[in-house]
Amino acid sequence: QDPKHLILGPADGVDSGGRVERTTDGGKTWAETSEGLGAPWPNHMVDRFAQVGDELVGVLSNGGGITAPLADWSWRPLFENLGRVLAVVPLATQDR
């Protein structure tokens, strides 16, 4: 909703030093927002993000998943016992 508010999953290299960062000023300044994740990760990174309702879901290159409410960025693991996640697809539902 705000084009100046961006979330990225940068890394120091492919599958190394991954973390989550955000900007609220269109990229002029960046802040790490990896609280609760134990980042930077030595052997993986964020592969992709998807917004699902009021949450942001991240798929990690090691097959893990993370999620955080957009209101406070309190990250937590997603589906810890599910196994290797390759993609996340939000599905639209409509009440009838």
Side-chain angles (χ1 to χ4, degrees), residues 11-84:
D12 297 333
V14 176
D15 281 344
S16 70
R19 59 202 176 274
V20 180
E21 295 184 5
R22 73 180 177 132
T23 181
T24 57
D25 60 13
K28 293 178 186 170
T29 60
W30 291 88
E32 188 167 334
T33 184
S34 300
E35 295 83 11
L37 296 177
W41 304 296
N43 299 313
H44 60 281
M45 60 191 214
V46 176
D47 191 33
R48 64 186 60 99
F49 286 112
Q51 184 174 341
V52 180
D54 292 337
E55 301 245 344
L56 190 64
V57 175
V59 175
L60 306 178
S61 63
N62 70 348
I66 56 175
T67 185
L70 297 174
D72 67 6
W73 303 106
S74 55
W75 293 97
R76 64 188 185 283
L78 179 68
F79 306 128
E80 285 185 277
N81 298 320
L82 185 62
R84 188 165 167 81

